[in-house]
Amino acid sequence: MIEVDEFSKDGELNLFNQVAEATLQLGPSPQESFEQDYDLEVEWQDSEFEEVKHIFSHRKWHVRIIAGQVVDSKDYNNKEVVWLTPEEFDLYPLAKPQQKIWQEYLKRDQ
């Protein structure tokens, strides 16, 4: 049961305002997580990108791109991660979602 204290000024009932909760961020931001996971210091950019969508047979991804430039890298040595330059992309298989992300990123230079 939802109790409503009052109607809006235009006479319409807005239940969302009555039950909405504040949005809380739990844990570090995506930027902080990236820096911690890869032991990097990044200068984050204020670039605007369209959301990249990819649909698998059982789930949908809505990817938000955040751009930045690494300004300091510690001794990160993980054999499961390979850092590539854009010129090296053709040397490795790149999954379709990552291809879509890269294509969206390239639009900022146009």
Side-chain angles (χ1 to χ4, degrees):
M1 179 175 170
I2 299 173
E3 293 183 28
V4 179
D5 294 329
E6 60 187 72
F7 288 99
S8 64
K9 291 184 172 87
D10 59 6
E12 291 184 19
L13 179 62
N14 186 340
L15 295 177
F16 183 76
N17 287 337
Q18 301 299 321
V19 297
E21 296 178 9
T23 303
L24 299 176
Q25 179 171 329
L26 303 174
S29 69
Q31 293 92 331
E32 292 168 329
S33 288
F34 184 85
E35 290 182 15
Q36 290 170 7
D37 290 349
Y38 298 106
D39 204 14
L40 299 171
E41 184 180 327
V42 180
E43 186 177 295
W44 298 103
Q45 301 167 2
D46 251 355
S47 302
E48 294 285 328
F49 297 96
E50 291 290 322
E51 180 181 77
V52 175
K53 297 175 186 167
H54 186 75
I55 300 173
F56 296 92
S57 61
H58 59 288
R59 83 173 39 136
K60 292 180 184 178
W61 278 4
H62 296 267
V63 180
R64 183 176 56 120
I65 300 172
I66 304 170
Q69 180 71 41
V70 173
V71 293
D72 186 24
S73 61
K74 299 3 175 228
D75 280 333
Y76 182 79
N77 189 9
N78 182 336
K79 301 211 186 302
E80 293 181 19
V81 175
V82 177
W83 296 101
L84 303 174
T85 64
E87 295 77 27
E88 296 173 306
F89 285 175
D90 290 337
L91 302 176
Y92 294 87
L94 201 58
K96 190 65 173 180
Q98 283 73 21
Q99 291 175 26
K100 289 179 178 180
I101 293 167
W102 181 243
Q103 291 306 311
E104 181 59 36
Y105 179 82
L106 289 176
K107 289 180 185 177
R108 84 176 181 152
D109 295 331
Q110 296 175 353

